[in-house]
């Protein structure tokens, strides 16, 4: 077992673990120095807001702080204006505190910390013998300390940019689409193994969902001017359209093409299959290596050869006697490939923009 290879592969996760440890210890020490009544709450906050990427940490910090302020204000108000001197009154006060805050948190996930904070602000005065107002202020200070420490550690200790994580995730999705395309077009003569193709599609869907999440984190970084990369929207939309093209291709080849047509199209489809898979893999490699995208010439040439073969088939009358299903299948295949031609042009432009932006940032730092 190659320990070095495992460490390199798990490096982002190991860095995250290290950042969380540093955040928790630093937040606890700072809260103790500030004589906070619950310094562990600052450490807990630091653990929560220290995330895999800077963008995710920034969003977690803002959301947690907003939820804390809302919960502290409302919980403090309940503690001041709603009597809760006995057990039954306390149960009512807790219900009155939690119900609206939980409802708001269900609508606005950024307020997820509000119910917890509201309950703490309500309960702590009965334990520590302080006023509800002082309890609310202490909670805000503790969360502020933990959030500030967690965000500072995320920015300073092995910072992980969501911009780069987005690039890695995009390259992974493109590689999966390339694999699925290769299998789809390789099945035009024999019919597609639907179960295997569905498994590939499920994997692509999961990777695309993760790409969307990381893209949102990258946008938080851009909004805070913590990264200078291009917007993630065009790349996300292009990859989504390529996924749709893949679905159309899968439907077009889920049954074998008629034998005479499949024989005539075997060579041009093989060329298209090879060119598309190679180009998508090349785009992913270009993103990771920060170099210009590969040329589209091989793809365009293969698609033109396929179009020419289809024109010859139609001229020879081989499409006239196709059944309704076979005709639908045949023309759906051509439509999907034509859609992919346009979307690959968009992908070429997106990869170029990302590579150029990375190069500009590198020049600015040098």
């Amino acid at each position: 077992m190659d320990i070095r290879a495992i460490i390199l592969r798990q490096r982002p996760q190991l860095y995250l673990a290290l950042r969380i440890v540093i955040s928790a210890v630093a937040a606890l020490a700072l809260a103790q120095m500030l004589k906070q009544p619950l310094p562990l709450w600052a450490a807990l906050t630091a653990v929560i807001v220290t995330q895999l990427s800077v963008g995710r940490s920034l969003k977690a910090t803002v959301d947690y702080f907003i939820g804390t302020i809302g919960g502290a204000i409302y919980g403090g108000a309940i503690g001041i204006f709603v009597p809760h001197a006995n057990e039954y009154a306390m149960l009512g006060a807790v219900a009155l505190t939690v119900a609206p805050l939980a409802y708001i948190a269900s609508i606005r996930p950024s307020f997820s910390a509000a119910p917890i904070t509201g309950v703490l602000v309500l309960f702590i005065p009965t334990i520590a013998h302080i006023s509800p107002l002082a309890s609310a202020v202490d909670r805000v200070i503790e969360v502020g300390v933990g959030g500030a420490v967690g965000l500072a550690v995320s920015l300073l200790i092995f910072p992980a940019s969501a911009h780069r994580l987005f690039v890695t995730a995009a390259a992974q999705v493109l590689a999966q689409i390339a694999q699925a395309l290769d299998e789809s077009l390789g099945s035009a003569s024999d019919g597609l193994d639907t179960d295997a193709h569905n498994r590939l599609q499920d994997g692509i869907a999961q990777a695309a969902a993760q790409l969307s999440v990381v893209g949102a984190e990258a946008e938080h970084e851009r909004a805070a001017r913590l990264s200078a990369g291009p917007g993630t929207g065009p790349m996300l939309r292009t990859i989504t359209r390529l996924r749709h093209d893949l679905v159309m291709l899968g439907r077009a080849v889920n049954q074998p093409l008629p034998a005479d047509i499949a024989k005539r199209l075997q060579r041009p489809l093989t060329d298209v299959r090879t060119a598309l898979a190679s180009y998508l893999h090349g785009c992913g490699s270009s993103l990771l290596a920060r170099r210009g995208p590969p040329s589209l010439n091989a793809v365009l040439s293969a698609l033109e050869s396929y179009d020419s073969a289809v024109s010859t088939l139609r001229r020879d009358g081989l499409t006239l006697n196709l059944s309704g299903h076979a005709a639908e299948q045949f023309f759906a295949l051509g439509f999907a490939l034509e859609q992919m031609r346009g979307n690959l042009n968009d992908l070429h432009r997106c990869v170029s923009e990302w590579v150029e932006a990375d190069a500009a940032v590198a020049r600015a730092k040098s």
Side-chain angles (χ1 to χ4, degrees):
M1 181 181 296
D2 190 345
I3 301 298
R4 178 180 173 82
I6 295 175
I7 291 175
L8 288 175
R9 187 167 59 251
Q10 298 295 323
R11 183 166 55 183
Q13 290 77 15
L14 293 173
Y15 283 166
L16 174 61
L18 177 61
R19 288 197 299 270
I20 289 176
V21 171
I22 294 173
S23 293
V25 173
L28 179 62
L30 183 56
Q32 289 174 335
M33 290 174 56
L34 296 174
K35 307 296 183 182
Q36 288 301 301
L38 285 178
L40 285 176
W41 195 252
L44 177 61
T45 301
V47 169
I48 291 172
V49 304
T50 304
Q51 299 287 325
L52 186 62
S53 70
V54 173
R56 193 180 302 182
S57 295
L58 180 62
K59 184 178 187 304
T61 301
V62 172
D63 287 352
Y64 203 78
F65 194 66
I66 290 174
T68 296
I69 291 177
I73 292 174
Y74 184 73
I78 294 296
I80 293 171
F81 296 110
V82 176
H84 50 281
N86 58 57
E87 181 178 342
Y88 296 105
M90 176 60 80
L91 291 175
V94 169
L96 190 60
T97 301
V98 171
L101 293 178
Y103 175 72
I104 295 172
S106 70
I107 299 173
R108 298 287 299 274
S110 59
F111 281 84
S112 59
I116 300 172
T117 303
V119 171
L120 281 174
V121 168
L122 188 64
F123 265 106
I124 293 299
T126 64
I127 301 172
H129 305 293
I130 59 176
S131 69
L133 178 60
S135 177
V137 172
D138 286 340
R139 296 295 77 69
V140 172
I141 292 175
E142 288 158 3
V143 168
V145 169
V149 170
L151 185 58
V153 170
S154 296
L155 287 168
L156 300 175
I157 308 297
F158 301 117
S161 168
H163 175 94
R164 291 307 305 168
L165 292 177
F166 179 83
V167 166
T168 302
Q172 178 184 356
V173 177
L174 290 174
Q176 289 176 287
I177 292 176
Q179 179 186 356
L181 277 171
D182 186 60
E183 294 198 9
S184 297
L185 292 176
S187 305
S189 299
D190 305 321
L192 186 63
D193 183 342
T194 305
D195 291 338
H197 186 70
N198 287 341
R199 286 194 295 271
L200 285 173
Q201 286 282 14
D202 291 341
I204 294 171
Q206 293 174 5
Q210 179 62 27
L211 178 66
S212 181
V213 170
V214 178
E217 296 167 7
E219 289 302 311
H220 290 306
E221 289 184 1
R222 291 183 69 244
R225 300 186 183 277
L226 296 176
S227 68
T232 59
M235 180 73 79
L236 283 170
R237 289 190 293 271
T238 299
I239 289 178
T240 299
R241 290 196 296 268
L242 287 170
R243 285 186 58 212
H244 294 165
D245 297 339
L246 181 59
V247 171
M248 285 191 289
L249 277 174
R251 290 174 178 171
V253 299
N254 63 352
Q255 296 293 329
L257 289 170
D260 51 350
I261 291 180
K263 183 177 180 180
R264 298 274 291 271
L265 291 181
Q266 182 177 6
R267 177 59 183 274
L269 273 178
T270 298
D271 292 342
V272 169
R273 170 189 177 189
T274 302
L276 287 176
S278 177
Y279 182 76
L280 289 170
H281 280 299
C283 283
S285 299
S286 295
L287 286 171
L288 295 175
R290 305 183 185 186
R291 62 170 184 263
S295 172
L296 264 171
N297 290 340
V299 173
L300 296 178
S301 176
L303 289 173
E304 288 173 3
S305 296
Y306 174 81
D307 291 341
S308 177
V310 168
S311 297
T312 301
L313 283 175
R314 299 179 69 177
R315 187 170 58 249
D316 292 346
L318 293 181
T319 60
L320 295 177
N321 298 319
L322 291 176
S323 66
H325 176 75
E328 179 182 353
Q329 180 183 4
F330 174 75
F331 290 109
L333 177 59
F335 179 77
L337 292 176
E338 183 60 32
Q339 289 294 108
M340 187 161 288
R341 187 202 308 265
N343 291 329
L344 288 177
N345 279 314
D346 291 340
L347 178 63
H348 191 276
R349 185 182 66 254
C350 289
V351 173
S352 297
E353 289 175 355
W354 277 80
V355 170
E356 290 169 4
D358 281 347
V361 171
R363 287 195 299 270
K365 290 181 179 179
S366 62

